[in-house]
Amino acid sequence: MGVCLLGLGLSLGEAQEGGHLSVEAAVPLGRLSVSSFRPGVGQEVWVEVPYAGPFPAQPDWAGVDEDRGTLARLVTQAPGPVTVRAFGLSATLEVQPGANRGPLPNPSAPARALPFVSEHCEDPRLPQLSGLWAIGCDGDYTSRAEHVFSGEQVALQGAPARPGLGGGALYGAGPQDHGLWRPPSVVSSPEAHRVPEEGIAPPATDGVTGALSVADAVWVFELEGRLRESLRARPAPWMPPAVAGPWVAWVELGESWLFGEDIYVRHKDWREGAPLVRRVGSQRHVAASEGFVGWIEDEAVCVESFETGERRCVAARPGPSRRLSLWGPVACWEDYSGDDIDVVCSDGLALRRPGHQRGPSRIGPWLLFREGNQTLLATAEWIVLDDDDLRAAPRGATLPDPLALRGARAEGGVTYSLSMPPGEFTVERRVGEAWVPGEVVRGGGVAQIDAPHGDAVRLRGAQ
Amino acid sequence: MTPRTERLGGQLAAVGALALLVAAFALDPSPAVSPDAVPRAARGLAGALIWALAATGLGGAILGSTSLAGALFLGSGVLGLALFGLAWAGLFSGPALGGVAVAASCGWLLRPRIERPTLDAAGWAVALVCGAPALINALAPPTDTDEIYQHLAIPAQLLHVRGLLGGLLHPDASRPIPVHTLYAAAMSFGGEPAPKLLHLIWGAVGLHHLRSLGDRWLGAPAGGAAALTLLGSYTFARELGLAYNNLPAAWWGLLAVEAAVEGRRKELAAYAGMALACKYTAAPVVVAAYLIAWRGLGLRAVPTMAALTLGALAWVVPYWVRNAAEGMHPLFPYAGWPGAEGIVFTYNERYGVGRGWLDLLLLPWNMVVHAETTSYKFLGQVSPVGLLALPGMALAAWSRPAARPVLAAAALAFVGWAAGPHWLRYLLPAAPLLGLAVGAAATALPSWGRAVLVAGGVLGLPASWGPWLGPTAEEAAVVVGAAPREALLKERVPGWGAIDYINKYTESDARVALLFSWPGYYVERPYVLGSVEDHVPARHLLLTQGDAALTTLRALGVTYAVVGEVRFIKKTFPFLDDERFRREFTEPEAALKELLLKEGTVVYEEGRYAVWRFPDGSP
């Protein structure tokens, strides 16, 4: 703990204020994590302090029903604002008259085999998507890439055995694996940042920034830069860190003897990392994408906005999943609740096929997975954006509406802001019980999609 | 220059050379030998020498007048059994071991007459050429599969719990362990290299004795031929610098035969029992020794031979009694796996190239020509000299009566091996006898015939020494500290990453199960199971416990499992029908996979090895 505080530029002496820890020291993120800022009436809301101080903690919760230390619960009673306080920090919930309930619809997702990337990989977490490239192996090395949209296939020269994948890039760390490949280029960039060791887990990248876990630190660097920062940490081996823009996250084992694995994050403007989830239980397999961080717990999968702290956890049986796939706030994982292993995503897309489906990797409507000895690519017929999605900005109150998808809609409409994969998509808006086709949007960047009726939209790939 | 001045000058020059030697190594800014390597080696050597000298003193005191080998190996055998008693009593601690070493060393106070070994120039040359790589093997971090699951893992466990483990959770430690208790004692004093250095000392003394004995019995150059034949064989030479039990069994077996030939019956019983306790595969050599002792005596000697047999069994029975006392079959883990009567510890058919009559007749040819060090085709390599010497052996049997007992013993030992698994390592207890048989051939053949044997030996060296010296060269850099130990372990120890995870990231008292995994020696946590032969412990657990296998482990407090993925291949068990192969091999492994998916969380994975965590110790 002391290390953590010192790492934030604070000494224990500075942190003490009249016998109490200062808010800045105890909650370095300076905010609470809330399961929903716009819950419906009667909905259960969980609030957690990303707490760095000593235990037992005394957050002095206010506005909650049940105090579990750094975690608290309340059940909303009536529409209107509700303020929750802990450690002098506050979060205001806007309780809505209505709320979406029930599962999201599961689109059909026909799958096709990708033989080019079906060869055995030394690391069973592969193949994976990096941007729109399905990265696979030639039996040993991660040297094959197939574009899921165009079908282009390339064989990478001198590719590494266990790369970090993300943003369309492969980054290999250490003397043996060194290099940076950006398919369709088959050769490594001469500017690839060189690290002196391979680390204790595969590196992570978002295509611009890289991160590598070593025994007593997490290194963060620009993939094609020269500088490297070293963050004091005791990251988990085998589980790679995660990078998304200015944020890096990792699974921390510094207090594993007490808490099990925790999740730590760090913004590039901070000197050191800070706990995002630090409590009993195994929070593991961190992933990050486009401003969101996700992780796996024993009986849940969680996604949180780095900036706002709004956190969605869904009850799940991720079992011994080897990783979590994240596309924005959409998480996909292996589901162990059935007779066999299936793949499910937080936006409703699910592959419940005979046999085991494993190793999901998602971008847009494309979901790469393994089945038997094959790598398959499922393409969702459509993807749904619901009005309680973390990417949705409702303009008014959420009202009950039996005709709306999942029984509620946002009055005054909702705007969805999301990073679209390349290609053309037809926007279908939910109006009453029908889906009404609208304009065609071109992917490849951040799109703003307006839903004046305040209900869900579907994005269907243009044929 | 006067002779006195010349002597003084010589002394000064020698002192100068010594000073330069010290300075060159001490002041070298990038020393060839790291400062850490020297004390590690010195401590290891001290640990090995303490026990070798204690054993020699004890053996010498018992025998009065004897060869160095006789004293060393008798004392080692007595100490091995005594230390087993100490471990059984739960007193296997540093002070107790110190007391035993001091007590045994007191044998020197009785001034035993032990022959001082001598070595001519050729002997020194051979010792240097073969001793250097063997010394590197001994000082290198253990990476050999048998060392890390058994021969060093058992001693490490002994030291950790200060007593005996065994039974279904530690089946390896239920074997007779006379050398393992000595390895533990050496490890206690000298650290990791000490057991291997003790084994190397045994090897050097044993080889020297073999040479002397060969020359004494059969005439020169029989002894030299015997020793060189063994040294020219991969299967023998590779084990010199490792901590194994095949060669100690061989030396005890040789001494038993020697005692039988020379009519020293009590020694025969003692050495035979020690050989058998060390390795059951020494049984054919023991039988040969007894037959030699019995020859010409007829039925009237039955009571004597029975008494001698009981004398020999006295060295083995304690291990049987211990197993029985723990509710196990006396011969566990080789037999008596409860609840799975059909389970077979070792499939003989798995090794070699076949077991038909023709295969058996051609065995001497096949074991030389078709042997491979990396496959089940004999899993080793021997010098072709033994094959080339067959006509010479026949000639010696016909023309040299003195050679007949040795040749008969060698033939019996070979037949005994042929009846078991055709794994060349299992032939090692008979290796000194087979070497002496080659020596007999060498003395019987004309000089050009001996030249043929020499040519065969030289031509066979690349096949035998290549697989030995290649890996040894990689170890040398680690031994002198020029390359990191970790790099070698990562490259050679299967599942090193998983073991490293256990050692670095689990609670210090976490209990670990090794399922389909070998490297118990490196696990710095209390562990159960581990692998033997075809992963019998894990397969037995799954076959007998079924879906409750992991629940059973968790009830025992196991919170982590290191799990290897074997992927049993049917073609390596061609003698099994599909149904049996599926039931005994693929189904248990598949069942474990499913159970792990249901009950565990994978927290580390590297290649075929993974670390699984269970929610807590009790389901």
Side-chain angles (χ1 to χ4, degrees):
Chain A
M1 200 288 298
V3 170
C4 180
L5 291 178
L6 291 168
L8 292 164
L10 301 165
S11 70
L12 280 171
E14 287 169 341
Q16 300 288 336
E17 287 182 357
H20 293 87
L21 284 170
S22 73
V23 170
E24 291 78 10
V27 194
L29 288 184
R31 59 161 171 76
L32 306 177
S33 295
V34 183
S35 64
S36 174
F37 284 119
R38 290 171 55 89
V41 175
Q43 202 169 348
E44 186 178 65
V45 179
W46 288 92
V47 187
E48 183 166 9
V49 187
Y51 177 66
F55 284 93
Q58 292 179 331
D60 299 325
W61 283 103
V64 299
D65 301 325
E66 186 181 337
D67 173 356
R68 295 189 186 179
T70 57
L71 190 66
R73 186 183 74 98
L74 71 145
V75 178
T76 54
Q77 303 294 330
V82 172
T83 300
V84 175
R85 288 192 175 84
F87 281 122
L89 299 170
S90 65
T92 300
L93 318 181
E94 293 293 338
V95 181
Q96 306 296 312
N100 289 347
R101 297 181 194 281
L104 286 160
N106 176 19
S108 69
R112 64 184 172 92
L114 300 184
F116 186 65
V117 289
S118 286
E119 291 291 320
H120 168 75
C121 288
E122 184 67 25
D123 189 334
R125 289 173 288 197
L126 298 165
Q128 275 181 42
L129 289 173
S130 176
L132 287 171
W133 289 90
I135 309 298
C137 305
D138 58 6
D140 289 314
Y141 292 97
T142 318
S143 64
R144 292 183 174 184
E146 180 169 350
H147 198 273
V148 297
F149 193 57
S150 69
E152 182 182 1
Q153 298 175 343
V154 294
L156 307 173
Q157 294 175 9
R162 46 171 217 166
L165 301 175
L170 292 83
Y171 176 74
Q176 304 293 324
D177 270 5
H178 170 73
L180 172 64
W181 292 260
R182 295 185 187 279
S185 170
V186 299
V187 295
S188 171
S189 162
E191 303 298 322
H193 181 88
R194 189 178 287 275
V195 288
E197 58 178 279
E198 65 176 4
I200 58 176
T205 181
D206 61 356
V208 177
T209 305
L212 182 70
S213 296
V214 294
D216 53 2
V218 173
W219 291 343
V220 185
F221 46 87
E222 297 301 308
L223 288 182
E224 289 171 288
R226 290 178 176 272
L227 298 178
R228 179 169 63 241
E229 287 182 278
S230 179
L231 310 175
R232 265 180 297 187
R234 191 161 187 256
W238 181 60
M239 300 180 201
V243 179
W247 294 92
V248 60
W250 67 92
V251 178
E252 170 71 32
L253 294 184
E255 295 169 300
S256 60
W257 59 276
L258 186 61
F259 296 134
E261 294 98 336
D262 297 321
I263 305 294
Y264 273 53
V265 296
R266 184 258 189 176
H267 187 274
K268 71 180 175 58
D269 294 336
W270 303 351
R271 284 177 57 191
E272 295 289 343
L276 178 70
V277 190
R278 178 171 166 258
R279 58 173 147 80
V280 172
S282 170
Q283 295 84 34
R284 57 190 185 272
H285 294 306
V286 68
S289 172
E290 298 167 10
F292 298 94
V293 57
W295 64 92
I296 282 176
E297 300 194 359
D298 284 336
E299 295 187 352
V301 170
C302 298
V303 177
E304 179 167 332
S305 163
F306 274 123
E307 300 295 342
T308 68
E310 187 161 14
R311 175 189 297 179
R312 296 280 196 273
C313 287
V314 294
R317 291 283 305 280
S321 294
R322 292 185 174 112
R323 57 182 292 272
L324 178 71
S325 166
L326 212 58
W327 167 57
V330 178
C332 297
W333 63 93
E334 293 172 0
D335 173 47
Y336 288 77
S337 61
D339 292 337
D340 58 21
I341 305 167
D342 297 315
V343 164
V344 298
C345 299
S346 57
D347 67 348
L349 178 59
L351 300 175
R352 299 194 186 281
R353 298 153 55 102
H356 294 330
Q357 290 78 49
R358 305 197 66 181
S361 187
R362 172 87 183 267
I363 183 168
W366 293 289
L367 177 58
L368 193 78
F369 65 101
R370 289 285 288 183
E371 189 176 273
N373 291 323
Q374 278 193 313
T375 302
L376 293 102
L377 181 71
T379 306
E381 189 183 354
W382 39 261
I383 51 180
V384 68
L385 299 170
D386 200 21
D387 47 292
D388 64 355
D389 191 290
L390 286 172
R391 293 166 293 187
R395 286 193 279 273
T398 300
L399 304 172
D401 181 350
L403 297 180
L405 185 72
R406 301 176 67 215
R409 64 180 178 84
E411 193 178 35
V414 58
T415 301
Y416 297 96
S417 176
L418 75 155
S419 177
M420 300 272 290
E424 290 185 342
F425 294 89
T426 303
V427 178
E428 297 179 341
R429 294 185 175 81
R430 175 90 174 183
V431 181
E433 284 185 301
W435 294 96
V436 179
E439 75 277 17
V440 172
V441 294
R442 184 173 293 278
V446 176
Q448 305 284 334
I449 297 170
D450 192 49
H453 289 80
D455 203 359
V457 298
R458 290 197 313 201
L459 301 176
R460 185 187 293 272
Q463 299 301 312
Chain B
M1 187 181 287
T2 65
R4 187 163 174 273
T5 311
E6 191 176 342
R7 271 203 307 277
L8 183 63
Q11 296 293 335
L12 284 173
V15 168
L18 181 63
L20 284 171
L21 174 74
V22 172
F25 283 95
L27 304 178
D28 187 345
S30 53
V33 180
S34 82
D36 297 340
V38 175
R40 179 178 179 273
R43 185 184 164 214
L45 190 59
L49 278 174
I50 285 170
W51 287 100
L53 288 171
T56 308
L58 177 63
I62 295 169
L63 294 171
S65 173
T66 180
S67 62
L68 174 62
L72 172 63
F73 285 106
L74 187 80
S76 296
V78 173
L79 277 177
L81 188 59
L83 291 173
F84 170 74
L86 201 67
W88 201 356
L91 301 173
F92 207 85
S93 62
L97 291 174
V100 171
V102 169
S105 300
C106 286
W108 287 102
L109 298 176
L110 299 177
R111 296 181 173 274
R113 289 192 306 279
I114 299 170
E115 287 173 27
R116 286 183 63 185
T118 55
L119 212 54
D120 56 17
W124 276 112
V126 172
L128 284 174
V129 168
C130 299
L135 186 64
I136 291 169
N137 295 155
L139 294 173
T143 57
D144 178 86
T145 301
D146 284 47
E147 282 190 320
I148 61 177
Y149 94 83
Q150 185 195 164
H151 300 305
L152 292 177
I154 294 172
Q157 279 184 331
L158 274 172
L159 292 175
H160 182 71
V161 302
R162 298 183 175 189
L164 292 179
L165 295 171
L168 289 171
L169 294 178
H170 303 93
D172 277 318
S174 288
R175 306 167 189 251
I177 49 172
V179 292
H180 302 93
T181 52
L182 272 166
Y183 288 157
M187 192 184 281
S188 171
F189 287 8
E192 185 177 85
K196 301 207 284 185
L197 288 165
L198 178 62
H199 185 271
L200 184 56
I201 291 170
W202 282 338
V205 173
L207 274 170
H208 181 270
H209 188 69
L210 175 67
R211 185 187 178 193
S212 305
L213 194 64
D215 287 351
R216 178 152 58 89
W217 279 358
L218 306 166
L228 288 173
T229 301
L230 301 193
L231 287 170
S233 299
Y234 165 85
T235 298
F236 179 92
R238 179 185 165 275
E239 284 196 14
L240 279 173
L242 304 182
Y244 264 67
N245 57 356
N246 295 306
L247 296 187
W251 306 130
W252 274 314
L254 176 68
L255 289 164
V257 171
E258 181 188 358
V261 170
E262 297 179 357
R264 292 180 271 120
R265 289 177 174 170
K266 288 180 184 171
E267 287 180 47
L268 160 65
Y271 290 130
M274 291 170 186
L276 205 56
C278 183
K279 188 94 179 174
Y280 287 143
T281 49
V285 176
V286 168
V287 170
Y290 271 70
L291 290 177
I292 290 171
W294 200 1
R295 72 192 154 144
L297 298 178
L299 291 176
R300 63 190 160 82
V302 167
T304 307
M305 296 310 296
L308 289 176
T309 303
L310 289 176
L313 289 178
W315 298 90
V316 193
V317 166
Y319 304 102
W320 297 347
V321 171
R322 178 226 170 177
N323 276 348
E326 292 177 355
M328 308 304 296
H329 189 288
L331 295 178
F332 185 78
Y334 305 99
W337 287 81
E341 297 305 321
I343 204 161
V344 175
F345 188 72
T346 304
Y347 284 103
N348 290 352
E349 302 91 330
R350 205 161 178 220
Y351 303 94
V353 293
R355 301 186 71 85
W357 283 108
L358 191 60
D359 298 316
L360 291 174
L361 280 174
L362 290 175
L363 193 52
W365 171 267
N366 289 336
M367 63 187 273
V368 171
V369 175
H370 297 301
E372 294 175 354
T373 59
T374 53
S375 82
Y376 289 106
K377 285 182 179 174
F378 301 100
L379 206 58
Q381 193 77 51
V382 290
S383 171
V385 173
L387 176 66
L388 306 184
L390 281 176
M393 292 178 201
L395 175 65
W398 176 62
S399 64
R400 294 172 180 255
R404 284 173 194 160
V406 167
L407 288 167
L412 185 62
F414 183 81
V415 170
W417 170 77
H422 294 170
W423 186 348
L424 285 173
R425 181 189 294 170
Y426 285 8
L427 188 58
L428 282 177
L433 295 181
L434 296 169
L436 287 174
V438 171
T443 53
L445 287 169
S447 57
W448 72 268
R450 286 198 287 273
V452 172
L453 298 188
V454 171
V458 171
L459 290 173
L461 276 185
S464 273
W465 281 17
W468 175 38
L469 298 182
T472 301
E474 294 169 8
E475 291 170 6
V478 179
V479 167
V480 298
R485 169 189 171 92
E486 187 97 350
L488 188 75
L489 297 177
K490 193 171 180 182
E491 181 190 322
R492 291 199 187 169
V493 175
W496 171 251
I499 300 300
D500 197 41
Y501 179 94
I502 292 290
N503 294 338
K504 284 182 180 165
Y505 296 103
T506 62
E507 304 81 11
S508 58
D509 59 348
R511 202 168 198 207
V512 180
L514 300 185
L515 302 171
F516 298 104
S517 320
W518 297 102
Y521 170 68
Y522 285 110
V523 179
E524 296 168 7
R525 300 286 183 274
Y527 70 89
V528 298
L529 297 174
S531 282
V532 189
E533 294 298 326
D534 294 318
H535 305 283
V536 175
R539 284 171 45 223
H540 177 264
L541 173 81
L542 291 155
L543 285 168
T544 55
Q545 301 292 318
D547 288 347
L550 295 186
T551 309
T552 304
L553 289 180
R554 289 166 61 192
L556 293 166
V558 169
T559 49
Y560 290 88
V562 175
V563 183
E565 187 179 3
V566 184
R567 300 178 203 161
F568 292 104
I569 300 170
K570 175 68 175 73
K571 73 177 182 183
T572 61
F573 297 86
F575 45 87
L576 291 183
D577 60 57
D578 289 349
E579 164 61 20
R580 186 164 181 193
F581 175 74
R582 187 177 55 75
R583 191 179 68 242
E584 284 195 17
F585 291 93
T586 53
E587 274 187 359
E589 193 181 16
L592 177 62
K593 261 187 191 173
E594 292 298 319
L595 288 175
L596 288 167
L597 290 176
K598 283 181 192 164
E599 300 181 37
T601 300
V602 62
V603 291
Y604 185 85
E605 201 168 34
E606 185 182 70
R608 290 187 173 192
Y609 285 82
V611 178
W612 290 79
R613 185 177 57 204
F614 305 119
D616 53 49
S618 54

